[in-house]
């Protein structure tokens, strides 16, 4: 019986340097030839899913950690911040002198001073991910298609990420925006580099449920692959949850299957174990 597969991107399909193992491409193409459907399920917005990933051959994607669902080129579900919410967050960031960028399916839109302000932050983020050349990376290297100088009051925004001057910024944002989801990334607790504000009450599992209803498909035929805490809801929701060996301890502990790391042919080995090839 054909299955529906959901793949996280960063740390699962590609490593944190953006490298895509050829074995993963082989596995996905072989699985689709067998009649299985394959969807990305990622925190990235659609604008951050670049051609090398689409060129693999995919049935669609879930983006923004669940705010967007696409099936074979058709938008199934898309929940954005309202224009009023976007304005409030942008004005709040400006009032505190925090630089930020808007994540939209149409692109990443940077605040006025983001390129300069984010330089050290992105280098630290790259060092933590052990990326080569981390000490010389530029913001345009990190975000090659980022848009500068555009209007910042938008109604197509999935999420807004802002540079933390301290952890207090996140604590204050959480209090200021209770109608939105507030998180951090780039580190845990006080070591976080960014805060983000997005649509409340969405996650990857809810988006998968919306896609299955669209397809008229069964949860019993689903398999999820991930490496991080944000992937746990989809591993819990799907019939089978697979954690990458290079992933965090928490997701490895709850997974039905732990495969090898992303650069150790982990996806291919998991597909093989699950008889998807």
């Amino acid at each position: 019986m054909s299955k529906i597969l959901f793949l996280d991107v960063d740390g699962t399909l590609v490593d944190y340097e953006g490298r895509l193992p050829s074995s993963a491409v082989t596995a996905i193409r072989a699985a689709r030839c067998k009649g299985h459907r394959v969807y990305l399920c990622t925190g990235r917005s659609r604008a951050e899913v670049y051609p090398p990933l689409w060129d693999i051959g995919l049935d669609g994607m879930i983006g923004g950690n669940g705010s967007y669902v696409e099936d074979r080129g058709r938008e199934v579900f898309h929940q954005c911040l309202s224009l009023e919410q976007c304005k409030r967050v942008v004005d709040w960031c400006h009032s505190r002198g925090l630089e930020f960028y808007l994540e939209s399916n149409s692109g990443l839109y940077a605040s006025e001073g983001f390129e300069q302000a984010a330089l050290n932050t992105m280098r630290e983020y790259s060092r933590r991910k052990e990326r080569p050349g981390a000490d010389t990376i530029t913001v345009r290297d990190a975000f090659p298609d980022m848009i500068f100088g555009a209007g910042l009051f938008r109604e197509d925004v999935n999420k807004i990420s802002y540079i933390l001057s301290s952890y207090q910024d996140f604590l204050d944002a959480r209090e200021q925006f209770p109608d939105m989801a507030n998180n951090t990334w780039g580190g845990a607790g006080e070591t976080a580099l960014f805060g983000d504000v997005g649509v409340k009450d969405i996650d990857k599992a809810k988006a998968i449920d919306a896609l299955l209803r669209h397809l008229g498909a069964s949860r019993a035929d689903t398999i999820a692959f991930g490496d991080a805490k944000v992937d746990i809801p989809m591993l819990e929701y799907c019939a089978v949850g697979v954690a990458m060996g290079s992933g965090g301890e928490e997701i490895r502990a709850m997974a039905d299957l732990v495969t090898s790391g992303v650069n150790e042919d982990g996806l291919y080995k998991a597909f093989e174990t699950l008889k998807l090839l």
Side-chain angles (χ1 to χ4, degrees), residues 17-29:
E17 293 170 25
R19 294 177 297 203
L20 173 63
S22 60
S23 62
V25 176
T26 299
I28 291 169
R29 289 176 176 169

Side-chain angles (χ1 to χ4, degrees), residues 13-14 18 20 25 29 40 44-58 61 144-145:
L13 178 57
V14 304
L20 173 63
V25 176
R29 289 176 176 169
L40 302 183
R44 297 189 188 194
S45 294
R46 200 186 194 286
E48 299 172 272
V49 179
Y50 303 114
L53 297 182
W54 286 116
D55 291 346
I56 297 170
L58 300 164
M61 70 169 289
D145 296 325

Side-chain angles (χ1 to χ4, degrees), residues 3 6 38 54 76 85 91 122 142 149 166-167 171 174 204 211 217 227 236 266:
K3 301 295 182 182
F6 297 96
V38 181
W54 286 116
V76 174
Q85 287 175 320
D91 287 344
M122 292 313 304
S166 74
Y167 192 65
L171 298 177
R174 189 170 60 183
K204 293 183 176 184
L211 177 60
D227 77 306
E236 289 177 333

